[in-house]
Protein backbone atom coordinates (compact mmCIF):
# COMPACT_ATOMS: atom_id res chain seq x y z
CA UNK A 1 0.00 0.00 0.00
CA UNK A 2 1.39 3.36 -1.07
CA UNK A 3 1.48 6.32 1.31
CA UNK A 4 -1.13 9.02 0.86
CA UNK A 5 0.05 12.23 -0.84
CA UNK A 6 1.69 14.69 1.54
CA UNK A 7 -0.77 17.29 2.80
CA UNK A 8 -0.36 20.70 4.46
CA UNK A 9 -0.76 20.72 8.23
CA UNK A 10 -4.02 22.32 9.34
CA UNK A 11 -5.58 22.85 12.76
CA UNK A 12 -4.45 22.08 16.27
CA UNK A 13 -4.65 18.33 15.81
CA UNK A 14 -2.51 18.46 12.67
CA UNK A 15 0.12 20.57 14.43
CA UNK A 16 0.13 18.22 17.43
CA UNK A 17 0.72 15.23 15.15
CA UNK A 18 3.53 17.12 13.41
CA UNK A 19 5.25 17.92 16.73
CA UNK A 20 4.78 14.43 18.17
CA UNK A 21 6.21 12.43 15.28
CA UNK A 22 9.94 12.40 16.28
CA UNK A 23 9.01 11.11 19.75
CA UNK A 24 6.96 8.33 18.15
CA UNK A 25 9.64 7.39 15.62
CA UNK A 26 12.76 7.71 17.74
CA UNK A 27 11.63 7.56 21.36
CA UNK A 28 13.26 4.16 21.87
CA UNK A 29 16.59 5.24 20.39
CA UNK A 30 19.01 5.51 23.32
CA UNK A 31 20.81 8.47 21.71
CA UNK A 32 17.65 10.48 20.97
CA UNK A 33 17.32 13.43 23.35
CA UNK A 34 13.63 14.45 23.34
CA UNK A 35 13.31 18.23 22.97
CA UNK A 36 10.77 20.03 25.11
CA UNK A 37 7.47 20.08 23.29
CA UNK A 38 6.89 23.69 24.38
CA UNK A 39 10.10 24.74 22.63
CA UNK A 40 8.96 22.93 19.47
CA UNK A 41 5.63 24.76 19.54
CA UNK A 42 7.32 28.13 19.98
CA UNK A 43 9.59 27.48 17.02
CA UNK A 44 6.60 26.69 14.78
CA UNK A 45 4.40 29.53 16.10
CA UNK A 46 4.13 32.21 13.43
CA UNK A 47 3.34 34.83 16.08
CA UNK A 48 6.27 34.01 18.36
CA UNK A 49 9.12 32.99 16.05
CA UNK A 50 10.72 36.19 14.61
CA UNK A 51 11.68 34.30 11.44
CA UNK A 52 8.08 34.65 10.28
CA UNK A 53 8.34 38.44 10.25
CA UNK A 54 10.23 38.16 6.97
CA UNK A 55 10.11 34.49 5.97
CA UNK A 56 7.42 31.92 5.35
CA UNK A 57 7.05 28.18 5.67
CA UNK A 58 4.52 25.44 4.98
CA UNK A 59 4.33 22.29 7.06
CA UNK A 60 3.45 18.94 5.48
CA UNK A 61 2.79 15.45 6.80
CA UNK A 62 2.38 12.14 5.00
CA UNK A 63 0.31 9.17 6.18
CA UNK A 64 0.47 5.45 5.63
CA UNK A 65 -2.37 3.30 6.92
CA UNK A 66 -3.99 6.32 8.55
CA UNK A 67 -0.95 7.17 10.69
CA UNK A 68 1.49 10.03 10.22
CA UNK A 69 4.76 8.51 9.07
CA UNK A 70 6.70 11.60 7.97
CA UNK A 71 6.85 15.37 8.20
CA UNK A 72 8.67 18.28 6.55
CA UNK A 73 8.68 22.08 6.40
CA UNK A 74 9.19 23.96 3.14
CA UNK A 75 10.97 27.21 3.96
CA UNK A 76 11.37 30.46 2.02
CA UNK A 77 14.06 32.69 3.57
CA UNK A 78 14.30 35.91 1.51
CA UNK A 79 17.04 37.36 3.76
CA UNK A 80 19.31 34.44 2.86
CA UNK A 81 18.71 35.07 -0.83
CA UNK A 82 19.37 38.80 -0.48
CA UNK A 83 22.67 38.24 1.35
CA UNK A 84 23.89 35.45 -0.92
CA UNK A 85 22.32 36.69 -4.17
CA UNK A 86 20.68 33.32 -4.61
CA UNK A 87 17.29 31.78 -5.30
CA UNK A 88 17.48 29.06 -2.70
CA UNK A 89 14.63 27.42 -0.88
CA UNK A 90 15.01 25.20 2.15
CA UNK A 91 13.44 22.21 3.79
CA UNK A 92 13.55 21.55 7.51
CA UNK A 93 11.80 19.84 10.43
CA UNK A 94 12.35 16.58 8.57
CA UNK A 95 11.39 13.38 10.36
CA UNK A 96 10.37 10.17 8.64
CA UNK A 97 10.13 6.44 9.10
CA UNK A 98 12.48 4.33 6.99
CA UNK A 99 10.01 4.60 4.13
CA UNK A 100 11.44 5.87 0.80
CA UNK A 101 8.01 6.37 -0.77
CA UNK A 102 6.84 8.53 2.15
CA UNK A 103 10.08 10.53 2.10
CA UNK A 104 9.66 11.13 -1.62
CA UNK A 105 6.12 12.42 -1.10
CA UNK A 106 7.40 14.89 1.51
CA UNK A 107 10.35 16.19 -0.50
CA UNK A 108 8.27 16.47 -3.67
CA UNK A 109 5.61 18.46 -1.80
CA UNK A 110 8.25 20.82 -0.40
CA UNK A 111 9.83 21.18 -3.85
CA UNK A 112 6.49 22.08 -5.46
CA UNK A 113 5.80 24.71 -2.80
CA UNK A 114 9.24 26.28 -3.26
CA UNK A 115 9.07 26.12 -7.04
CA UNK A 116 5.79 28.01 -6.85
CA UNK A 117 7.71 30.90 -5.28
CA UNK A 118 10.19 31.07 -8.12
CA UNK A 119 13.03 29.37 -6.22
CA UNK A 120 15.57 27.26 -8.06
CA UNK A 121 17.31 25.11 -5.44
CA UNK A 122 16.21 23.25 -2.30
CA UNK A 123 18.73 22.96 0.56
CA UNK A 124 18.32 21.29 3.91
CA UNK A 125 17.52 20.32 6.47
CA UNK A 126 17.57 23.79 8.02
CA UNK A 127 15.19 24.69 10.88
CA UNK A 128 14.43 27.52 9.78
CA UNK A 129 17.73 29.38 9.28
CA UNK A 130 21.38 28.37 9.45
CA UNK A 131 21.48 30.01 12.88
CA UNK A 132 19.13 27.24 14.05
CA UNK A 133 19.73 23.49 14.08
CA UNK A 134 20.66 22.23 10.64
CA UNK A 135 22.09 19.20 8.90
CA UNK A 136 21.53 15.44 8.86
CA UNK A 137 23.89 13.35 10.96
CA UNK A 138 25.91 11.19 8.55
CA UNK A 139 28.86 10.21 10.79
CA UNK A 140 29.02 9.68 14.55
CA UNK A 141 25.92 7.70 15.48
CA UNK A 142 27.53 6.22 18.60
CA UNK A 143 26.83 9.16 20.92
CA UNK A 144 23.93 11.50 21.73
CA UNK A 145 23.93 15.03 20.33
CA UNK A 146 25.32 17.99 22.23
CA UNK A 147 23.14 20.93 23.19
CA UNK A 148 21.50 22.69 20.22
CA UNK A 149 22.68 20.03 17.75
CA UNK A 150 20.37 17.72 15.76
CA UNK A 151 20.16 13.95 15.85
CA UNK A 152 18.72 11.30 13.55
CA UNK A 153 19.05 7.53 13.10
CA UNK A 154 21.58 6.10 10.65
CA UNK A 155 19.00 5.39 7.92
CA UNK A 156 18.29 9.09 7.21
CA UNK A 157 21.16 9.77 4.75
CA UNK A 158 20.23 6.85 2.48
CA UNK A 159 16.56 7.82 2.74
CA UNK A 160 17.23 11.37 1.51
CA UNK A 161 19.64 10.23 -1.19
CA UNK A 162 17.03 7.80 -2.52
CA UNK A 163 14.90 10.88 -3.21
CA UNK A 164 17.51 12.62 -5.36
CA UNK A 165 19.17 14.71 -2.65
CA UNK A 166 22.92 15.22 -3.10
CA UNK A 167 25.56 16.62 -0.79
CA UNK A 168 25.91 20.40 -0.67
CA UNK A 169 28.14 20.84 2.40
CA UNK A 170 29.24 18.92 5.48
CA UNK A 171 29.46 20.45 8.95
CA UNK A 172 31.98 18.90 11.34
CA UNK A 173 31.94 18.43 15.10
CA UNK A 174 35.12 17.79 17.06
CA UNK A 175 36.02 16.12 20.32
CA UNK A 176 38.24 18.38 22.42
CA UNK A 177 38.23 16.21 25.53
CA UNK A 178 41.55 16.26 27.32
CA UNK A 179 42.88 19.31 25.48
CA UNK A 180 44.99 21.73 27.51
CA UNK A 181 46.93 24.80 26.32
CA UNK A 182 50.64 24.04 25.91
CA UNK A 183 53.41 26.36 27.06
CA UNK A 184 53.95 27.96 23.65
CA UNK A 185 50.29 28.89 23.34
CA UNK A 186 50.35 30.41 26.83
CA UNK A 187 53.41 32.50 25.93
CA UNK A 188 51.68 33.73 22.76
CA UNK A 189 48.57 34.57 24.81
CA UNK A 190 50.54 36.58 27.38
CA UNK A 191 52.45 38.42 24.67
CA UNK A 192 49.23 39.30 22.82
CA UNK A 193 47.60 40.65 25.97
CA UNK A 194 50.62 42.86 26.68
CA UNK A 195 51.28 44.00 23.10
CA UNK A 196 47.69 44.85 22.21
CA UNK A 197 46.60 45.79 25.73
CA UNK A 198 44.00 43.12 25.23
CA UNK A 199 41.60 42.20 27.99
CA UNK A 200 39.72 38.92 28.11
CA UNK A 201 36.81 38.66 30.52
CA UNK A 202 33.72 36.52 31.14
CA UNK A 203 30.21 37.69 30.38
CA UNK A 204 28.86 39.91 33.14
CA UNK A 205 25.46 38.59 34.31
CA UNK A 206 24.52 42.12 35.43
CA UNK A 207 25.03 43.30 31.83
CA UNK A 208 23.66 40.19 30.14
CA UNK A 209 21.86 41.89 27.25
CA UNK A 210 24.63 44.43 26.58
CA UNK A 211 27.36 41.80 26.67
CA UNK A 212 25.48 39.48 24.33
CA UNK A 213 25.07 42.41 21.95
CA UNK A 214 28.87 42.59 21.95
CA UNK A 215 28.97 38.88 21.18
CA UNK A 216 26.71 39.48 18.18
CA UNK A 217 28.95 42.30 16.97
CA UNK A 218 31.91 39.92 16.79
CA UNK A 219 29.77 37.09 15.42
CA UNK A 220 28.55 39.17 12.48
CA UNK A 221 32.06 40.33 11.58
CA UNK A 222 33.84 37.02 12.10
CA UNK A 223 31.32 34.91 10.16
CA UNK A 224 30.63 37.38 7.35
CA UNK A 225 31.19 35.70 4.02
CA UNK A 226 30.98 32.16 5.41
CA UNK A 227 28.94 29.70 3.39
CA UNK A 228 25.27 29.96 4.33
CA UNK A 229 25.70 32.62 7.03
CA UNK A 230 22.99 35.26 7.33
CA UNK A 231 23.06 37.69 10.27
CA UNK A 232 20.18 37.49 12.71
CA UNK A 233 17.66 40.29 12.83
CA UNK A 234 17.38 42.20 16.11
CA UNK A 235 14.18 40.30 16.90
CA UNK A 236 15.82 36.94 16.17
CA UNK A 237 18.76 37.79 18.39
CA UNK A 238 16.45 38.90 21.19
CA UNK A 239 14.78 35.48 21.01
CA UNK A 240 18.20 33.78 20.95
CA UNK A 241 19.15 35.66 24.13
CA UNK A 242 16.13 34.19 25.89
CA UNK A 243 17.00 30.65 24.76
CA UNK A 244 20.65 30.99 25.75
CA UNK A 245 19.82 32.38 29.18
CA UNK A 246 18.20 29.02 30.05
CA UNK A 247 21.33 26.98 29.32
CA UNK A 248 24.24 29.40 29.72
CA UNK A 249 26.95 29.52 32.38
CA UNK A 250 28.22 33.14 32.10
CA UNK A 251 31.71 32.06 33.17
CA UNK A 252 32.06 30.10 29.95
CA UNK A 253 31.44 33.07 27.65
CA UNK A 254 34.72 34.91 27.13
CA UNK A 255 34.94 38.32 25.47
CA UNK A 256 38.23 39.77 24.22
CA UNK A 257 38.25 43.58 24.08
CA UNK A 258 40.68 46.11 22.70
CA UNK A 259 40.27 49.63 24.11
CA UNK A 260 36.77 48.62 25.15
CA UNK A 261 35.82 47.33 21.69
CA UNK A 262 34.83 43.63 21.36
CA UNK A 263 37.21 41.88 18.96
CA UNK A 264 36.83 38.17 19.75
CA UNK A 265 34.44 35.80 21.48
CA UNK A 266 34.30 32.25 22.73
CA UNK A 267 30.81 31.01 23.52
CA UNK A 268 30.87 27.70 25.39
CA UNK A 269 27.68 26.13 26.73
CA UNK A 270 27.15 23.46 29.38
CA UNK A 271 25.84 20.41 27.54
CA UNK A 272 22.25 20.83 28.65
CA UNK A 273 21.29 17.72 26.70
CA UNK A 274 22.77 15.71 29.57
CA UNK A 275 19.88 16.99 31.69
CA UNK A 276 17.20 17.41 29.02
CA UNK A 277 16.78 13.66 28.57
CA UNK A 278 15.49 13.42 32.16
CA UNK A 279 12.43 15.57 31.36
CA UNK A 280 11.23 13.24 28.61
CA UNK A 281 10.11 16.17 26.48
CA UNK A 282 7.65 17.65 29.01
CA UNK A 283 8.10 20.01 31.94
CA UNK A 284 4.79 19.01 33.51
CA UNK A 285 2.59 15.92 33.68
CA UNK A 286 -0.93 15.70 35.09
CA UNK A 287 -0.61 19.35 36.15
CA UNK A 288 2.50 18.64 38.23
CA UNK A 289 6.02 19.97 37.40
CA UNK A 290 7.49 16.48 37.28
CA UNK A 291 9.64 17.13 34.23
CA UNK A 292 10.87 20.45 35.59
CA UNK A 293 11.99 18.84 38.85
CA UNK A 294 13.75 16.01 37.02
CA UNK A 295 15.41 18.51 34.70
CA UNK A 296 16.61 20.70 37.56
CA UNK A 297 18.07 17.74 39.46
CA UNK A 298 19.81 16.37 36.36
CA UNK A 299 21.24 19.81 35.50
CA UNK A 300 23.34 19.67 38.67
CA UNK A 301 25.27 16.76 37.17
CA UNK A 302 26.19 18.37 33.83
CA UNK A 303 29.92 17.93 33.32
CA UNK A 304 30.30 18.30 29.53
CA UNK A 305 30.43 21.43 27.39
CA UNK A 306 29.95 22.40 23.77
CA UNK A 307 32.21 25.04 22.24
CA UNK A 308 29.55 26.69 20.11
CA UNK A 309 31.22 29.84 18.77
CA UNK A 310 34.84 30.93 18.52
CA UNK A 311 35.60 33.97 16.40
CA UNK A 312 38.02 36.86 15.95
CA UNK A 313 37.32 39.95 13.85
CA UNK A 314 39.27 39.71 10.57
CA UNK A 315 41.74 42.56 11.24
CA UNK A 316 43.11 40.87 14.38
CA UNK A 317 43.41 37.29 13.21
CA UNK A 318 46.83 35.69 13.64
CA UNK A 319 47.89 38.35 16.15
CA UNK A 320 47.76 36.05 19.16
CA UNK A 321 44.17 36.95 20.08
CA UNK A 322 43.09 33.37 19.41
CA UNK A 323 45.66 32.08 21.87
CA UNK A 324 44.61 34.53 24.59
CA UNK A 325 40.96 33.61 24.13
CA UNK A 326 41.68 29.88 24.17
CA UNK A 327 43.76 30.10 27.34
CA UNK A 328 41.09 32.01 29.24
CA UNK A 329 38.35 29.73 27.96
CA UNK A 330 40.24 26.65 29.14
CA UNK A 331 40.65 28.22 32.59
CA UNK A 332 36.91 28.90 32.76
CA UNK A 333 35.97 25.35 31.75
CA UNK A 334 38.28 23.65 34.24
CA UNK A 335 37.57 26.02 37.14
CA UNK A 336 33.85 25.55 36.48
CA UNK A 337 34.15 21.83 37.11
CA UNK A 338 33.38 20.68 33.57
CA UNK A 339 35.66 17.65 33.34
CA UNK A 340 33.41 15.23 31.43
CA UNK A 341 34.38 16.20 27.90
CA UNK A 342 34.01 18.89 25.26
CA UNK A 343 32.51 19.02 21.78
CA UNK A 344 33.63 21.78 19.43
CA UNK A 345 31.70 22.99 16.43
CA UNK A 346 30.21 22.88 14.08
CA UNK A 347 32.80 23.95 11.50
CA UNK A 348 32.49 23.96 7.72
CA UNK A 349 34.32 21.04 6.12
CA UNK A 350 36.24 23.40 3.82
CA UNK A 351 37.19 25.96 6.48
CA UNK A 352 40.79 24.84 6.35
CA UNK A 353 42.09 27.46 8.78
CA UNK A 354 39.85 26.57 11.74
CA UNK A 355 39.92 22.82 11.03
CA UNK A 356 43.72 22.80 10.92
CA UNK A 357 43.81 24.85 14.12
CA UNK A 358 41.54 22.38 15.92
CA UNK A 359 43.66 19.47 14.70
CA UNK A 360 46.86 21.12 15.96
CA UNK A 361 45.20 21.63 19.34
CA UNK A 362 44.54 17.90 19.55
CA UNK A 363 40.91 17.90 18.46
CA UNK A 364 39.50 14.81 16.77
CA UNK A 365 36.67 14.99 14.25
CA UNK A 366 33.88 12.77 15.55
CA UNK A 367 30.67 13.77 13.74
CA UNK A 368 29.55 15.09 10.40
CA UNK A 369 26.23 16.72 9.57
CA UNK A 370 25.22 17.08 5.93
CA UNK A 371 23.28 19.81 4.17
CA UNK A 372 21.66 18.29 1.07
CA UNK A 373 20.77 19.95 -2.20
CA UNK A 374 18.28 19.35 -4.98
CA UNK A 375 17.70 21.40 -8.10
CA UNK A 376 14.12 22.49 -8.57
Amino acid sequence: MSPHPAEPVRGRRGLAEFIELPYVLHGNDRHFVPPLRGDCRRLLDRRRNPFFRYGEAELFTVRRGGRVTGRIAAVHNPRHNEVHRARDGFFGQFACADDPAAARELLDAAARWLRGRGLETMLGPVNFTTNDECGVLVEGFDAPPSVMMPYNPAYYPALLESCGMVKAKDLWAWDGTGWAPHERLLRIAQRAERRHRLTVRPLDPARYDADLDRVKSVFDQAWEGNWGFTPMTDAEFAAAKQRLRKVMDPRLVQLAELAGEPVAVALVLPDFNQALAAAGGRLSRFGLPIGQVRLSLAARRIDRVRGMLFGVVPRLRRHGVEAALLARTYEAITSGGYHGGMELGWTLEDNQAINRYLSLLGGTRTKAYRIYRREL
Side-chain angles (χ1 to χ4, degrees), residues 145-160:
S146 293
V147 61
M148 296 185 177
M149 292 294 284
Y151 175 78
N152 54 265
Y155 68 80
Y156 269 45
L159 190 65
L160 289 166

Side-chain angles (χ1 to χ4, degrees), residues 136-141 152 157 161 170-171 367-370 372:
V136 166
L137 184 67
V138 295
E139 296 177 16
F141 297 97
N152 54 265
E161 290 161 16
D170 277 359
L171 319 173
K367 295 180 182 179
Y369 300 84
R370 183 159 297 166
Y372 281 96

Side-chain angles (χ1 to χ4, degrees), residues 38-350:
D39 290 344
C40 297
R41 283 192 292 271
R42 277 188 288 274
L43 182 67
L44 299 173
D45 191 331
R46 286 167 167 77
R47 295 168 299 177
R48 300 170 73 183
N49 185 343
F51 165 79
F52 290 105
R53 299 184 188 180
Y54 62 85
E56 58 179 334
E58 185 73 88
L59 309 181
F60 295 91
T61 54
V62 65
R63 296 174 184 271
R64 183 186 283 276
R67 294 184 177 181
V68 174
T69 190
R71 73 176 203 183
I72 201 169
V75 181
H76 180 204
N77 183 346
R79 276 177 53 80
H80 165 91
N81 288 330
E82 290 168 10
V83 169
H84 297 279
R85 298 180 181 179
R87 301 184 73 176
D88 295 331
F90 295 89
F91 76 93
Q93 300 293 320
F94 181 78
C96 191
D98 192 2
D99 183 338
R104 194 171 300 111
E105 285 287 343
L106 292 168
L107 288 160
D108 286 350
R112 286 192 296 272
W113 189 88
L114 295 170
R115 198 180 299 118
R117 281 149 181 78
L119 302 173
E120 298 176 349
T121 305
M122 180 167 68
L123 295 164
V126 173
N127 303 332
F128 289 99
T129 78
T130 54
N131 295 309
D132 299 309
E133 288 184 3
C134 51
V136 166
L137 184 67
V138 295
E139 296 177 16
F141 297 97
D142 56 347
S146 293
V147 61
M148 296 185 177
M149 292 294 284
Y151 175 78
N152 54 265
Y155 68 80
Y156 269 45
L159 190 65
L160 289 166
E161 290 161 16
S162 73
C163 301
M165 306 301 296
V166 297
K167 173 184 169 181
K169 188 78 67 175
D170 277 359
L171 319 173
W172 289 352
W174 301 72
D175 180 20
T177 303
W179 172 78
H182 49 71
E183 289 186 11
R184 182 168 178 267
L185 185 141
L186 292 174
R187 288 197 301 271
I188 294 171
Q190 292 167 359
R191 189 162 59 243
E193 291 183 6
R194 289 195 306 268
R195 179 182 298 171
H196 300 294
R197 296 182 180 179
L198 187 75
T199 61
V200 183
R201 65 172 179 86
L203 182 143
D204 183 352
R207 302 178 63 248
Y208 177 82
D209 285 336
D211 270 1
L212 274 186
D213 287 341
R214 298 170 83 78
V215 169
K216 185 178 186 297
S217 172
V218 175
F219 181 50
D220 288 348
Q221 295 177 67
W223 272 262
E224 185 179 18
N226 276 7
W227 184 89
F229 174 69
T230 302
M232 295 184 201
T233 65
D234 290 343
E236 285 177 310
F237 194 67
K241 286 179 183 178
Q242 294 180 5
R243 292 196 302 272
L244 288 171
R245 189 188 288 270
K246 299 176 183 178
V247 299
M248 182 181 288
D249 181 341
R251 298 171 297 176
L252 302 183
V253 184
Q254 298 289 316
L255 278 166
E257 296 171 322
L258 186 63
E261 177 190 357
V263 295
V265 63
L267 173 58
V268 177
L269 297 177
D271 188 1
F272 200 69
N273 275 11
Q274 286 183 285
L276 193 59
R282 298 183 190 275
L283 291 180
S284 63
R285 295 175 186 272
F286 313 111
L288 299 173
I290 296 171
Q292 181 66 66
V293 172
R294 290 176 176 172
L295 183 64
S296 299
L297 292 173
R300 300 176 186 176
R301 299 190 294 273
I302 294 175
D303 63 355
R304 288 182 53 84
V305 296
R306 176 190 168 203
M308 185 174 180
L309 300 176
F310 185 92
V312 180
V313 297
R315 67 184 178 85
L316 284 178
R317 290 173 184 165
R318 300 182 181 178
H319 284 71
V321 177
E322 297 92 340
L325 195 59
L326 279 169
R328 296 301 179 116
T329 301
Y330 175 78
E331 291 175 6
I333 292 170
T334 54
S335 64
Y338 297 98
H339 303 298
M342 173 168 55
E343 181 172 286
L344 305 168
W346 48 263
T347 67
L348 292 169
E349 62 175 330
D350 52 1

